[in-house]
């Protein structure tokens, strides 16, 4: 049964049109000239209880706007949204009882209060019964490992600690659905990995439905089976992550720092080589050669100082989907062939 139902939603923002110069900006204060910015365009999807879905797209794609419509913060310009059978913006309080929300860019905790006091305040706001609160707090402090900083004021927490604290706060009232808007933004690789593992654990332990917004492909690869890709306000893909992985993002980049100018043999699977000083960016097709095979070929006669393998970013995968939409079935033809 679907707990999140989105049907043909759009969101338009009216932006006052600016005129040039000082007099122009004064007159634009009074004029009713507006420009329409289409942030979300005719998006539909259904999500079932317990699913973990990645909602991915480049910056400005409309991810946050969609999350805000799902959480009742924004009213759609057109279309219908139902969360747990309720229209979020019409039933904000009821909706709040069913959902947890984490915005990576903003905390819902009180900056100057020790963490535990923020949790107490949330217990009061959400009217969480004492025993349920105690049980959840005990379970979640252990799972998210926040005990060591539970008496620390929020402002003194590292970003990774704060994100775990925010996650805990969003789950205290036992919501059935968790909305996360860029929960890994700004985190280092280790803290990111930690958050991803915790999300999987929460989903598994509590069967919480998770909608995870991100512009980082790896967030989704590590957590979700299903992904919805949006670009410029439109949905361009909704389906399995494996299908995308198998059909797109075929090219990888190996970045190698050499100790001296390297001798690079002719290799078929290599599609391009760029160099900047002794740093070489070698693009290759992962189905034809593995990174480790390539590394051993290139380090055989050369002194290697450092290396990284770069995964393709969401932008390049979206470009590929536009160029070759027929590779996967769930790509909407109308959107993809533009
Ligand atoms: N309150 C607003 N007023 C005007 N334009 C907005 C507003 N919020 C978002 N937008 C615009 O809508 C588009 C989608 O934004 P957003 O949903 O924040 O994207 P994302 O979260 O995918 O980065 C962007 O072009 C953004 O500038
Ligand atoms: Mg956003």
């Amino acid at each position: 049964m679907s707990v999140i139902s989105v049907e043909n939603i759009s969101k338009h923002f009216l932006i006052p049109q600016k005129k040039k110069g000082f007099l122009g900006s004064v007159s634009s204060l009074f004029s009713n000239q507006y420009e329409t910015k289409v942030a979300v365009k005719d998006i539909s999807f259904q999500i079932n209880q317990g699913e973990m879905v990645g909602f991915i797209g480049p910056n400005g794609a409309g991810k946050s706007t969609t999350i805000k419509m799902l959480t009742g913060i924004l009213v759609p310009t057109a279309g219908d949204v139902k969360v747990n059978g309720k229209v979020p913006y019409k039933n904000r309080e009821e909706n709040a009882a069913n959902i947890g929300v984490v915005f990576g860019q903003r905390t819902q905790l009180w900056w100057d209060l020790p963490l535990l006091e923020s949790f107490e305040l949330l217990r009061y706001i959400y009217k969480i019964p004492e025993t349920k609160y105690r049980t959840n707090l005990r379970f979640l402090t252990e799972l998210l490992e926040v005990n060591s900083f539970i008496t620390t004021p929020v402002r003194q927490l590292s970003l990774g600690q704060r994100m775990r604290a925010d996650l805990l706060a969003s789950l205290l009232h036992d919501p059935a659905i968790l909305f996360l808007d860029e929960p890994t933004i700004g985190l280092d690789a280790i803290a990111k990995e930690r958050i991803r593992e915790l999300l999987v654990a929460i989903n598994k332990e509590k069967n919480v439905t998770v909608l995870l917004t991100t512009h980082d492909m790896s967030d989704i690869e590590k957590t979700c089976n299903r992904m919805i890709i949006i670009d410029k306000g439109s949905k361009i893909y909704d389906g399995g992550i494996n299908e995308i992985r198998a059909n797109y993002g075929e090219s990888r980049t190996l970045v190698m720092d050499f100790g001296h100018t390297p001798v690079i043999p002719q290799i078929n699977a290599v599609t391009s080589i760029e160099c900047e000083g002794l740093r070489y960016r070698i693009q290759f097709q992962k189905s034809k050669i593995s990174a480790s095979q390539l590394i051993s070929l290139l380090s055989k006669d050369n002194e290697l100082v450092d290396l990284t393998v770069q995964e393709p970013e969401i932008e390049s995968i979206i470009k590929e989907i536009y160029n070759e939409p027929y590779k996967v079935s769930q790509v909407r033809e109308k959107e993809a062939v533009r």
Side-chain angles (χ1 to χ4, degrees), residues 191-206:
K192 269 188 185 180
E193 200 50 46
R194 189 83 185 279
I195 294 290
R196 292 165 184 157
E197 286 166 7
L198 290 170
L199 292 177
V200 172
I202 289 161
N203 169 259
K204 202 170 144 215
E205 294 286 331
K206 301 219 152 200

Side-chain angles (χ1 to χ4, degrees), residues 58-65 67-68 103 105 181-182 185 213 215:
N59 286 329
K63 304 182 296 291
S64 297
T65 305
I67 292 276
K68 286 175 188 164
F103 285 104
Q105 314 257 35
D181 192 5
E182 307 261 8
I185 201 159
T213 287
H215 63 271

Side-chain angles (χ1 to χ4, degrees), residues 161-319:
Q161 289 174 329
R162 205 216 78 204
M163 207 58 78
R164 267 146 60 204
D166 258 299
L167 254 179
L168 195 156
S170 72
L171 292 165
L172 275 174
H173 61 296
D174 254 344
I177 305 164
L178 186 57
F179 292 105
L180 302 145
D181 192 5
E182 307 261 8
T184 62
I185 201 159
L187 298 183
D188 62 47
I190 293 167
K192 269 188 185 180
E193 200 50 46
R194 189 83 185 279
I195 294 290
R196 292 165 184 157
E197 286 166 7
L198 290 170
L199 292 177
V200 172
I202 289 161
N203 169 259
K204 202 170 144 215
E205 294 286 331
K206 301 219 152 200
N207 198 35
V208 176
T209 309
V210 178
L211 185 63
L212 165 69
T213 287
T214 181
H215 63 271
D216 185 339
M217 272 293 282
S218 322
D219 281 347
I220 305 225
E221 298 203 312
K222 305 258 165 75
T223 53
C224 305
N225 300 319
R226 173 179 168 196
M227 69 200 282
I228 296 173
I229 307 180
I230 66 165
D231 183 40
K232 301 189 186 75
S234 297
K235 184 171 97 169
I236 60 167
Y237 177 79
D238 182 353
I241 175 145
N242 288 334
E243 214 177 345
I244 290 287
R245 205 191 276 137
N247 291 292
Y248 299 100
E250 156 69 3
S251 132
R252 290 281 180 282
T253 305
L254 179 63
V255 184
M256 299 178 106
D257 291 330
F258 292 101
H260 53 76
T261 306
V263 184
I264 296 183
Q266 182 77 26
I267 302 165
N268 261 342
V270 170
T271 51
S272 82
I273 300 176
E274 286 168 26
C275 70
E276 214 187 311
L278 292 173
R279 168 163 292 185
Y280 282 65
R281 301 176 55 83
I282 300 153
Q283 216 177 49
F284 65 99
Q285 290 172 288
K286 70 167 199 267
S287 63
K288 297 197 177 145
I289 195 168
S290 72
S292 59
Q293 283 172 315
L294 188 57
I295 292 163
S296 68
L297 271 176
L298 294 174
S299 54
K300 206 168 58 186
D301 299 317
N302 301 305
E303 184 202 336
L304 187 58
V305 181
D306 197 8
L307 67 86
T308 47
V309 182
Q310 289 178 348
E311 299 277 319
E313 308 218 316
I314 185 65
E315 284 85 352
S316 74
I317 289 186
I318 286 174
K319 214 178 286 162

Side-chain angles (χ1 to χ4, degrees), residues 97 116 119 123 126 128-144 146 150 167-175 202 205-206 208:
L116 188 57
F119 296 155
R123 173 173 81 89
Y126 283 99
I128 309 169
E130 184 71 31
T131 42
K132 182 169 161 183
Y133 172 75
R134 294 278 153 233
T135 317
N136 282 347
L137 186 63
R138 193 174 320 122
F139 174 77
L140 292 166
T141 33
E142 197 159 306
L143 180 71
L144 300 169
V146 303
I150 203 157
L167 254 179
L168 195 156
S170 72
L171 292 165
L172 275 174
H173 61 296
D174 254 344
I202 289 161
E205 294 286 331
K206 301 219 152 200
V208 176

